[in-house]
Amino acid sequence: MSRRPYIRKVERNWWIRQPRYISYMIRELTSLFVGLYCALLAVGLVRLAQGPAAWDGFVAAFSSPLGVTFQLACLAFAIYHSVTWFALTPKAMPLRMKGEPVPGIVIVGAHYAAWAVVSIVVLIGAGM
Amino acid sequence: MSETITLEVLRYHPETDSEPHFQRYVVPYRDDWVVLDALNHIKDNLDATLSYRWSCHMAVCGSCGMTINGEPKLSCHSFLRDYRGKVVRVEPLDHFPIERDLVIVMDSFMEKLGSVKPWLIPKVEKPLSAGEYLQSPGQMQVFHQYTQCINCLLCYAACPQIGLNEDFVGPAALALAHRYNLDSRDGGRDARAEVVASNEGIWECTFVGACSEVCPKHVDPAAAIQQTKISASVGWLKDLLTPGAHR
Amino acid sequence: MARSNKPMLWLPFAGGGLVAALIIPVLILITGVLVPLGVLHLRYETIAAFAHNPLGKLIVLGAVALPAWHAAHRLRMTAHDLGLGSGIAIKAACYGTAWLLILAAAGALIAV
Ligand code: SF4
Ligand code: FES
């Protein structure tokens, strides 16, 4: 008997084959929108450093229909990132208290609580 | 006539086939049959040339892993009733070379498994006369889940990073390394890190999480790998801040 | 095989992922929804005052730099997943862009 193992090739579009791979790919692509929004923030800081007139121009630009459309896409992906990131925290950082494992829902819940606190603080700060 | 179900099985004979092809078999449908029973029916009654691995028929030995309708599964743990009215497509596990029919070549995995030193490496060796290395039930509970692996390789078939880089050490081996790293009697973390925390180790993982979803034993290798990333990073930081103190 | 220096790339990726998850959605909510709707006004004085404060500078830099790094690292891995390779070009494009944003943000924060 001669051996002649057959090797199957992985297709480039492997991630289309299964729903779980597709949602993984969407999760990974959130980073594109996070990155693009970071670029918007960096531009904003540069405009801020250039003075009030430049800043007002920046505010007008991101408030334009195009700016809003772009940011709504960013928002959808950013929320998807938050939800998927928090969901995985109990796996990466399991906690034990008094020898007993802390339930995953408690760890995830703590992250949601932190998310709420950060959001409220930022909203209050920006509104001042 | 009593009910039947159709199996579409990938066949590959290394001496006569240049590439694999599907072959259809019609077998009796039984509510209490699993896919492995259907394959055994084929082998015993329809086509004795069909090759596949199995042993325990009870999700313990880990040898009957196959791709069933696109999903890595234990064929002894996949009931025909879940596929009633459909064609059941049975293929060898993804990401492994096909030896013949549903039998894969798993040498690469055996090598990876050994490379992570999956055994106790005591902090200090003691002579036999000094007695056992004691451990409390609580200390055992910390790693118990990671001892449940049956080396069925479903996780390797599910992991896209294995498909993209065949040298990636992979889920089951890294989970087993984590099992020993977590053991209170063990002092081998550093020795294992040479492979575990190398470029082909944990860092190839992008936390797809598919390994944990398909694992029939709820080992959760994805969790083990993320935890190892954190502990390896902490170790790396310590080395950076206190040069020479470590290793 | 030897231990990898990946933690250098991975630690800021993981930290950035957490920071992005906590802060980016509310920032977009402000700049993409509340300000355009006129519910909130981002006055120059308010923002400039925050960016003048040393602690404010640090917070703003963290909110831009860490998520930017997170995005760069994840995009590099995704490029590999999509079969675009993992060579020097991909690395330069991803991490290079992140560094550009970080330095631009840092420069502006110093100048402001
Ligand atoms: S970790 Fe789970 S899926 Fe992977 S080989 Fe072990 S038992 Fe099978
Ligand atoms: S035959 Fe042993 S696990 Fe399926």
Side-chain angles (χ1 to χ4, degrees):
Chain A
M1 270 287 271
S2 64
R3 291 187 62 192
R4 203 162 52 85
Y6 183 85
I7 296 175
R8 292 161 290 175
K9 289 236 156 28
V10 172
E11 317 239 330
R12 230 173 213 237
N13 62 358
W14 58 266
W15 55 274
I16 300 178
R17 275 195 358 228
Q18 265 191 25
R20 74 160 66 90
Y21 295 152
I22 293 177
S23 45
Y24 160 74
M25 211 38 110
I26 296 172
R27 187 193 87 190
E28 296 303 278
L29 279 178
T30 58
S31 60
L32 181 62
F33 292 87
V34 168
L36 286 171
Y37 187 73
C38 286
L40 184 143
L41 290 178
V43 170
L45 290 174
V46 171
R47 303 299 273 164
L48 183 75
Q50 289 168 347
W55 175 256
D56 289 341
F58 171 67
V59 173
F62 74 63
S63 303
S64 68
L66 190 69
V68 171
T69 315
F70 162 71
Q71 291 187 83
L72 287 180
C74 290
L75 183 58
F77 282 97
I79 291 174
Y80 192 78
H81 166 70
S82 302
V83 171
T84 50
W85 191 272
F86 296 149
L88 294 176
T89 49
K91 292 195 180 229
M93 297 178 295
L95 288 177
R96 291 185 158 266
M97 265 161 78
K98 298 190 197 105
E100 289 299 313
V102 176
I105 187 133
V106 174
I107 301 175
V108 177
H111 280 87
Y112 273 91
W115 193 17
V117 169
V118 169
S119 300
I120 291 167
V121 168
V122 172
L123 277 172
I124 292 172
M128 278 192 310
Chain B
M1 213 189 91
S2 56
E3 188 177 346
T4 59
I5 188 162
T6 304
L7 264 68
E8 202 169 61
V9 182
L10 198 73
R11 303 294 312 269
Y12 171 68
H13 193 303
E15 287 178 330
T16 54
D17 298 345
S18 60
E19 57 179 41
H21 61 275
F22 281 102
Q23 186 168 348
R24 281 186 168 231
Y25 300 97
V26 179
V27 302
Y29 171 86
R30 299 243 323 245
D31 244 1
D32 56 352
W33 267 14
V34 290
V35 171
L36 181 59
D37 294 316
L39 292 173
N40 285 342
H41 177 88
I42 296 172
K43 178 117 182 148
D44 293 345
N45 303 293
L46 306 174
D47 184 349
T49 67
L50 182 63
S51 298
Y52 52 96
R53 288 194 182 112
W54 71 286
S55 174
C56 70
H57 200 295
M58 50 191 274
V60 166
C61 72
S63 55
C64 70
M66 299 170 192
T67 311
I68 302 176
N69 283 5
E71 181 83 356
K73 290 254 190 199
L74 294 180
S75 55
C76 70
H77 213 50
S78 307
F79 281 94
L80 288 182
R81 57 177 183 251
D82 295 331
Y83 303 95
R84 197 170 188 174
K86 290 186 220 152
V87 172
V88 186
R89 190 174 255 237
V90 188
E91 299 165 79
L93 286 179
D94 266 343
H95 304 150
F96 291 94
I98 306 176
E99 183 78 58
R100 177 177 168 147
D101 296 341
L102 300 170
V103 176
I104 54 155
V105 183
M106 53 188 294
D107 303 9
S108 62
F109 170 70
M110 298 316 277
E111 241 168 69
K112 290 170 184 176
L113 193 61
S115 76
V116 303
K117 304 187 198 296
W119 53 80
L120 275 184
I121 304 175
K123 293 182 193 99
V124 268
E125 290 280 359
K126 16 181 228 186
L128 208 54
S129 56
E132 307 90 333
Y133 294 91
L134 293 176
Q135 182 166 65
S136 72
Q139 287 170 324
M140 194 269 275
Q141 210 48 49
V142 172
F143 62 80
H144 176 258
Q145 137 194 27
Y146 302 113
T147 65
Q148 298 297 299
C149 175
I150 55 173
N151 296 348
C152 66
L153 303 188
L154 300 193
C155 52
Y156 283 69
C159 175
Q161 300 306 339
I162 290 284
L164 293 166
N165 174 10
E166 57 180 358
D167 292 330
F168 173 33
V169 178
L174 291 171
L176 201 58
H178 190 54
R179 172 248 175 277
Y180 285 99
N181 285 344
L182 290 179
D183 194 311
S184 58
R185 300 162 297 180
D186 184 86
R189 183 183 286 274
D190 270 356
R192 285 182 204 104
E194 296 301 317
V195 169
V196 167
S198 73
N199 281 339
E200 310 295 357
I202 47 174
W203 303 115
E204 273 298 272
C205 166
T206 55
F207 207 168
V208 180
C211 53
S212 299
E213 285 176 33
V214 301
C215 175
K217 292 295 182 183
H218 308 292
V219 171
D220 206 348
I225 296 175
Q226 309 324 307
Q227 291 162 32
T228 310
K229 282 182 192 170
I230 293 180
S231 59
S233 294
V234 171
W236 177 86
L237 265 184
K238 271 191 198 150
D239 279 1
L240 197 72
L241 299 176
T242 55
H246 206 53
R247 280 201 280 173
Chain C
M1 280 195 253
R3 279 193 224 191
S4 169
N5 278 321
K6 283 275 163 66
M8 197 158 55
L9 305 175
W10 186 81
L11 277 172
F13 159 78
L18 181 62
V19 170
L22 290 173
I23 206 166
I24 296 285
V26 69
L27 291 181
I28 309 180
L29 183 69
I30 292 171
T31 60
V33 179
L34 298 179
V35 171
L37 283 179
V39 179
L40 213 91
H41 298 281
L42 286 185
R43 287 181 305 118
Y44 173 81
E45 295 75 32
T46 321
I47 307 299
F50 191 71
H52 271 133
N53 180 306
L55 187 64
K57 281 189 208 290
L58 211 65
I59 292 174
V60 174
L61 185 64
V64 177
L66 284 168
W69 188 266
H70 164 84
H73 185 69
R74 206 171 225 188
L75 278 174
R76 177 194 154 199
M77 298 312 214
T78 309
H80 179 246
D81 289 348
L82 293 173
L84 303 176
S86 47
I88 191 81
I90 294 280
K91 280 186 206 166
C94 293
Y95 297 129
T97 311
W99 272 118
L100 201 76
L101 293 183
I102 294 168
L103 292 176
L109 282 167
I110 293 170
V112 82

